[in-house]
Amino acid sequence: MSVPRRPPALLTAPLLALALLLTGCGFSITSTPTTPATSAAPAAAPGQGAAGPESGAASVLRESASEEPAPSPAEIPGLGPLTRAQIPDDARQAFVVTGEGEDSNRSSTMLYTREDPAEGWESSAGPWVAHNGMKGWTDHHVAGDLRSPRGVYSLTDAGGRLPDPGALLPYDEHPRFAVDGEGFFGEPLEGSFDYVVAINYNRTEGVSPLDRTRPLGLERGGGIWIHVDHGGPTQGCVSIPEERMEQLLRTLDPELKPVIVMGDAQSLRR
């Protein structure tokens, strides 16, 4: 890798392990009141007209009671109140990564969109199979722990070794996104960084995914991306099949303030 922006990747070959140590893969009733049967209407008092079947006040009460309550905006399935509270109010796209377990490296992903906040979230793509960190998930990611950071993070920058497939996010095409070597199960890593989206964990927004600035410090790791799946676990990134990466790049829209919500299923329900 060079200076522009692309970190190495999920390198597990002996010569690549040290380079990845500090950088992750790259370098979140209604009950209508029934009118009791009345036998006969009472006689009207002098000077008053006879009351009809319903007086004006009774009619208002009846209409109010029969009104349906306004439906609540649809929520993203599987997310608890603490997780939902982390999603910014202005976010209208959410890429949800749900791990099988705290120590599992397998996940599934769904993309949700809320065009009208009053109506809430709707699924717009997925489910897609995915991999995450070799050892699962953590609330406190550190360099080399082989776990993906739980949480909700914005998505603002993309790139890859291959030409821009029509990404809506700013896209940095660069040869330094090339990677080789083998993954944890001996699978080839080549092509893993053909397309990437930087997850804004311990990085500066608005720059290439290759940028190595670490606001939280090098010990907290970095280079956590969504990238092309190579058939095995990652150093801490999230990986999905290449055709899904292309689709995701063409869908994530900076105007919709996209975020990733990532973690194991149990933690996401908090």
Side-chain angles (χ1 to χ4, degrees):
M1 308 279 228
S2 191
V3 171
R5 317 174 172 179
R6 186 91 183 189
L10 309 110
L11 311 174
T12 60
L15 296 180
L16 300 172
L18 182 58
L20 290 169
L21 180 60
L22 300 180
T23 54
C25 291
F27 217 55
S28 84
I29 159 170
T30 303
S31 59
T32 303
T34 53
T35 306
T38 54
S39 47
Q48 293 181 344
E54 284 186 332
S55 67
S59 177
V60 170
L61 288 173
R62 182 184 180 89
E63 292 176 6
S64 174
S66 63
E67 287 179 358
E68 290 289 338
S72 300
E75 299 288 358
I76 297 175
L79 303 188
L82 294 181
T83 302
R84 293 197 302 267
Q86 296 179 58
I87 301 176
D89 292 339
D90 61 351
R92 288 187 286 153
Q93 282 183 325
F95 187 59
V96 180
V97 182
T98 305
E100 293 181 358
E102 183 176 16
D103 300 322
S104 173
N105 54 57
R106 293 181 177 273
S107 301
S108 64
T109 65
M110 288 282 291
L111 181 64
Y112 293 87
T113 303
R114 56 176 172 186
E115 295 183 3
D116 182 355
E119 295 184 1
W121 294 96
E122 294 183 353
S123 60
S124 53
W128 303 334
V129 296
H131 281 99
N132 53 272
M134 174 66 179
K135 294 186 178 181
W137 300 90
T138 180
D139 287 325
H140 187 81
H141 176 71
V142 295
D145 66 5
L146 301 182
R147 292 181 178 270
S148 298
R150 298 184 182 110
V152 177
Y153 306 98
S154 58
L155 302 172
T156 56
D157 306 285
R161 183 183 65 86
L162 298 182
D164 185 348
L168 300 179
L169 297 175
Y171 186 90
D172 177 30
E173 178 188 349
H174 202 284
R176 291 186 61 216
F177 282 104
V179 62
D180 55 19
E182 294 182 343
F184 290 100
F185 300 147
E187 73 279 9
L189 298 176
E190 184 177 0
S192 299
F193 298 160
D194 283 353
Y195 300 116
V196 311
V197 174
I199 296 171
N200 289 338
Y201 165 82
N202 198 18
R203 74 178 298 270
T204 302
E205 297 183 14
V207 297
S208 167
L210 290 170
D211 185 86
R212 299 183 64 177
T213 304
R214 301 288 180 254
L216 300 178
L218 294 177
E219 69 280 1
R220 293 299 303 277
I224 306 296
W225 300 342
I226 307 168
H227 63 68
V228 176
D229 188 72
H230 48 78
T234 74
Q235 297 277 335
C237 297
V238 171
S239 62
I240 59 177
E242 183 167 4
E243 64 273 18
R244 301 310 185 190
M245 274 302 303
E246 294 183 56
Q247 182 177 348
L248 188 67
L249 284 165
R250 290 193 292 262
T251 305
L252 293 178
D253 186 347
E255 295 295 321
L256 301 182
K257 309 291 185 182
V259 297
I260 185 170
V261 182
M262 52 194 286
D264 56 280
Q266 183 175 354
S267 72
L268 292 180
R269 288 194 292 268
R270 293 184 294 199

